[in-house]
Amino acid sequence: MTPGPRKAAAYLGALAGLSLTLAACSSGADPAAYPEDDVEIVVPFAAGGPTDTVTRMIAEPMAQELGVQIVVQNVEGAGGTVAAGQVAAEDPDGYTVLMHHIGMSTAPALYGDALAYDPVADFRTVGLVTEVPMTIIARSDFEPDTLEDFVTYVQEHESEVTMATAGEGAASDLCGRLLTSALGVEVTVVPYDGTGPAMEDLVGKQVDFMCDQTTNTTTQITEGTVKAYAVTTPERIDALPDLPTTAEAGQPDIAVSVWHGLYVPAETPDEVVEKLTAALQTALADQSVIDQMAGLGTTPVEHDRATPEAHTELLTEQIATWSDVIGTQGG
Ligand code: ASP
């Protein structure tokens, strides 16, 4: 006997509900007992860069709070979108967590239908981590010494100048686009798997300039292995007090800071997300994390921003903002 259409629909609905429940439990994980095994945090850029640095800073205190090991895994490619797509498809059990930055909100406008995931529908937010200023830096022997000179030089030599980025949608790409479009120039973009390797080439004088987070540039600026022109915040920062702001150096439109947050796949149970949020909050209150971040020009977000609510609010607001900005630039 074949079931009538309504019965068939109810049966299919029940099956769909069952498969969702099974998906949540497919790794055999019991949310109440979480975590019972190592947790992996996926970094969407190469090791040694700013996203990797921030992740490794919080991994140890988070692991202590959770009572298990945290393994940091670098999955590079396509400005961070390869890793995000991979985590979206993982079991929703809290054992695979994504660290991502502002690129989570620029990707929909930049990649459109080619994006394999929806940053809002396919993830749950765990909490914001930090907001990091960016710096405009160049190889130590690049001719211009100030941002004003840099503007003139790049406008006169645009066909020769090279800019390092971590791929389309990366923060370095976003800041670089803002800068080159403000100057009305097109330079040659050299994409890397992350700004860790890009920084090696900048110090090695293989590429001319880059915009990158202070978490990857403060040491090199202080040691003089790169030349610094400006920081992209409204105020100067304590870690680099001599560095002018972009506004002071005549480029007020280059204002961007790079927020980071943690994500898990969409069907992850509440209990698991709550434990990850609590571990994140503990890590951000850890004095050694606060000190390490201060030394690299940033601070942990306040306690009430290391929450899914504050993180989701920022993510959705930023997706709308960047879709306007990138859309109007013809991104
Ligand atoms: N700072 C890089 C970016 O441009 C990413 C990284 O290597 O962490 O987004």
Side-chain angles (χ1 to χ4, degrees), residues 17-310:
L18 183 65
S19 69
L20 273 184
T21 314
L22 285 175
C25 306
S26 60
S27 60
D30 171 10
Y34 175 85
E36 298 178 290
D37 205 347
D38 293 357
V39 170
E40 184 175 278
I41 302 186
V42 175
V43 171
F45 298 102
T51 316
D52 183 70
T53 298
V54 166
T55 307
R56 289 176 199 274
M57 274 181 201
I58 63 168
E60 184 50 35
M62 278 187 75
Q64 276 173 21
E65 177 72 13
L66 291 169
V68 293
Q69 298 290 315
I70 290 187
V71 180
V72 177
Q73 186 76 34
N74 300 84
V75 177
E76 303 95 350
T81 60
V82 170
Q86 191 171 304
V87 174
E90 286 287 344
D91 286 338
D93 54 15
Y95 290 97
T96 312
V97 178
L98 175 70
M99 166 72 92
H100 208 332
H101 64 21
I102 193 169
M104 198 70 163
S105 64
T106 58
L110 289 170
Y111 287 83
D113 291 343
L115 201 63
Y117 57 89
D118 180 323
V120 176
D122 293 338
F123 292 93
R124 288 191 71 172
T125 52
V126 172
L128 294 166
V129 178
T130 181
E131 251 179 71
V132 189
M134 298 200 85
T135 48
I136 303 170
I137 57 174
R139 60 181 159 81
S140 57
D141 58 354
F142 199 46
E143 202 175 299
D145 283 328
T146 63
L147 192 63
E148 290 88 337
D149 293 348
F150 172 89
V151 170
T152 312
Y153 183 90
V154 175
Q155 284 170 338
E156 285 172 0
H157 299 84
E158 66 180 294
S159 62
E160 297 153 35
V161 172
T162 54
M163 175 176 79
T165 76
E168 193 168 26
S172 45
D173 174 59
L174 179 66
C175 180
R177 280 169 186 254
L178 289 174
L179 179 60
T180 52
S181 97
L183 306 193
V185 294
E186 273 187 39
V187 298
T188 302
V189 175
V190 185
Y192 291 81
D193 281 340
T195 46
M199 179 59 94
E200 282 174 26
D201 271 8
L202 196 71
V203 170
K205 303 171 186 158
Q206 306 297 310
V207 64
D208 293 331
F209 82 96
M210 172 165 82
C211 263
D212 201 23
Q213 288 108 294
T214 56
T215 34
N216 195 39
T217 65
T218 302
T219 308
Q220 290 81 349
I221 292 171
T222 309
E223 290 173 354
T225 53
V226 297
K227 193 177 268 191
Y229 297 123
V231 62
T232 63
T233 40
E235 307 290 335
R236 292 190 184 205
I237 59 169
D238 290 345
L240 297 165
D242 298 331
L243 193 61
T245 65
T246 40
E248 285 177 271
Q251 297 297 327
D253 293 341
I254 319 299
V256 62
S257 56
V258 181
W259 53 273
H260 296 63
L262 293 177
Y263 302 80
V264 285
E267 301 300 331
T268 306
D270 290 348
E271 279 166 288
V272 171
V273 176
E274 281 159 18
K275 286 178 192 168
L276 284 167
T277 300
L280 171 64
Q281 291 172 339
T282 300
L284 296 182
D286 186 290
Q287 195 57 47
S288 98
V289 171
I290 296 168
D291 293 345
Q292 287 176 71
M293 285 199 186
L296 295 178
T298 191
T299 48
V301 296
E302 282 158 18
H303 183 85
D304 63 352
R305 297 190 73 218
T307 56
E309 295 74 25

